Amino acid sequence: MTHESLVNQDWKSVVSRLGGAAMLEISARETKAFLRPREIDNAVDLLRLILAYCLGERGLRSTAAWATSIGLVDISNVALLYRLRQCGDWLAMLVGQALAAAAPKAIRGRTIRIIDATTVPKAGPAAKKQSKLWRVHSAFDLARERFDYFELTDQQAGETLDRIPVVKGEIRIGDRAYLQPDRMAVVLDAGADFLIRAGWKSACWLNAEGNPLDLIAELRNAAARGRIDRPIWIGRKRGAALALRLVAIKKPAQAAAAARRKARRDAQREGYQISKRTLAAADWVILVTSLTPADFATADVLALYRLRWRIELGFKRLKSLIGLRGPPGTDERSARPYVLAHLLIILLLEPLVDELEVSPRLAEAA
């Protein structure tokens, strides 16, 4: 489905999937995106115009000319920009409604959600110099192969494990950025479990007695069998240590060599001397989970984490299929609806994607 088809022959389908013309009219008035007919007759035409600009390759002037040429609306580029800036809350509401319609459902009694974020740069030389960006915090429902949560922030809002509301009973999968003990405790208290990638020095590792545990020594002792599955505790800034489970698997030789090369390059680029312990840890995929061995064997945990790659495929579709990139202009009133328009369309398109890419091997996904 192309951008052109979304604003032409498939437009009736888009309107229907968003609840119909009457519901769009109501939500547009509630958010003050559309108050009364003037240049634009109704909310459906307004949404079509906004999506045509945000999803297409045209600028404001060309989009306005296109709208006039097809008899949609006779509007100037200045008036179009004004309308765009009024649509942020409306598009956010439509995204929320689309997400609610696809609320997570359990897989064998459990909901599996992959947590991650992607970014797009803000426009303008000042924003580029200061590395300003838009961050899209996301949750991906594995059963439906689709996103079920979005939150749009700027670069100052970091990735946190508990930012996304917890579904009781869910299994939440995240990468190294989400190894946050206090926030992991919030997820556990809400009745969910997690499976998170870990770095060897990114947590306060403890044994059953509450004493420091040498994780690298554990890895070296397990080198012959190439696998670890044992209880472990992680210290917290506030509250008691978390009683969890450490699962680690040694990477294949080729993947381990590639990981060591990357670690050396990173150290060289950032100007520090890499340690032998870091190189030893590069040979392993290290995971921390609250899932119990009785319910999830070692192989099950490893297979589950391998599926984290699915959200990367979702981001790939969002940027390549839908065309999400840095919004034009420096005004956040127009940049926000631009990003939200792309999030809305990926939610409408995902159920129509028939062929999904194959996940890579665990070592490659790591």
Side-chain angles (χ1 to χ4, degrees), residues 41-344:
D41 291 336
N42 53 66
V44 172
D45 287 349
L46 173 61
L47 182 61
R48 188 179 183 187
L49 179 64
I50 296 301
L51 292 182
Y53 167 69
C54 293
L55 300 176
E57 299 297 328
R58 308 177 181 93
L60 289 167
R61 193 181 302 276
S62 296
T63 302
W66 165 83
T68 302
S69 70
I70 67 168
L72 177 64
V73 59
D74 187 0
I75 192 172
S76 69
N77 60 311
V78 175
L80 172 56
L81 178 60
Y82 172 79
R83 292 285 189 169
L84 175 68
R85 290 175 174 176
Q86 305 306 308
C87 285
D89 290 343
W90 185 32
L91 289 170
M93 177 181 284
L94 295 180
V95 169
Q97 291 172 349
L99 290 170
K105 291 188 177 180
I107 302 176
R108 299 179 183 176
R110 304 295 296 270
T111 298
I112 300 178
R113 300 170 87 197
I114 308 168
I115 308 300
D116 207 348
T118 190
T119 61
V120 291
K122 290 187 176 181
K128 183 177 181 180
K129 184 177 181 180
Q130 299 175 30
S131 300
K132 291 186 176 181
L133 49 82
W134 291 101
R135 179 172 282 120
V136 183
H137 306 269
S138 311
F140 191 81
D141 178 3
L142 189 59
R144 297 192 176 193
E145 285 282 354
R146 64 174 295 167
F147 291 102
D148 72 0
Y149 183 90
F150 284 128
E151 182 176 338
L152 181 63
T153 69
D154 62 15
Q155 74 283 349
Q156 295 181 345
E159 299 175 52
T160 56
L161 186 66
D162 60 342
R163 175 182 294 278
I164 293 167
V166 176
V167 176
K168 188 175 181 179
E170 74 169 280
I171 300 171
R172 183 165 290 203
I173 304 174
D175 63 13
R176 278 179 263 219
Y178 297 96
L179 190 68
Q180 305 158 343
D182 289 326
R183 298 182 184 277
M184 290 154 65
V186 172
V187 173
L188 291 174
D189 290 343
D193 285 297
F194 53 75
L195 172 59
I196 301 174
R197 181 79 180 271
W200 73 273
K201 56 181 179 181
S202 56
C204 177
W205 308 107
L206 304 173
N207 59 22
E209 290 73 38
N211 298 318
L213 182 141
D214 189 338
L215 184 59
I216 297 300
E218 292 288 319
L219 298 176
R220 286 171 174 162
N221 292 336
R225 63 179 182 274
R227 183 171 293 195
I228 296 176
D229 191 340
R230 55 153 292 170
I232 200 167
W233 285 257
I234 295 181
R236 298 168 55 193
K237 293 180 180 179
R238 301 182 296 274
L242 297 179
L244 300 171
R245 177 183 174 195
L246 172 69
V247 176
I249 184 171
K250 196 170 185 181
K251 299 174 185 176
Q254 185 175 358
R260 290 193 295 273
R261 285 195 299 271
K262 182 180 183 301
R264 289 190 180 98
R265 286 197 304 269
D266 291 344
Q268 185 177 22
R269 183 178 63 251
E270 297 178 18
Y272 64 86
Q273 183 69 35
I274 193 168
S275 71
K276 292 181 179 180
R277 295 168 69 82
T278 297
L279 291 174
D283 289 352
W284 292 80
V285 175
I286 306 169
L287 306 173
V288 172
T289 184
S290 57
L291 299 170
T292 65
D295 295 326
F296 289 83
T298 307
D300 294 332
V301 172
L302 296 171
L304 190 59
Y305 184 76
R306 178 189 175 196
L307 297 174
R308 200 197 72 82
W309 194 253
R310 288 299 191 189
I311 197 169
E312 300 296 341
L313 299 181
F315 288 146
K316 178 182 177 182
R317 291 198 293 268
L318 180 58
K319 291 185 175 182
S320 61
L321 178 63
I322 307 302
L324 176 62
R325 55 187 179 275
T330 58
D331 193 315
E332 295 193 3
R333 293 175 298 172
S334 54
R336 178 169 174 257
Y338 177 92
V339 176
L340 289 168
H342 288 78
L343 301 185
L344 177 63

Side-chain angles (χ1 to χ4, degrees), residues 11-28 43-44 47 90 93-99 101 344 348:
W11 180 241
K12 289 184 179 179
S13 174
V14 171
V15 172
S16 175
R17 297 187 64 198
L18 290 173
M23 291 301 298
L24 287 173
E25 196 81 17
I26 292 171
S27 60
V44 172
L47 182 61
W90 185 32
M93 177 181 284
L94 295 180
V95 169
Q97 291 172 349
L99 290 170
L344 177 63
L348 297 179

Side-chain angles (χ1 to χ4, degrees), residues 336-357:
R336 178 169 174 257
Y338 177 92
V339 176
L340 289 168
H342 288 78
L343 301 185
L344 177 63
I345 293 303
I346 190 63
L347 294 173
L348 297 179
L349 278 185
E350 278 180 318
L352 306 179
V353 177
D354 296 321
E355 297 182 2
L356 297 170
E357 300 93 329

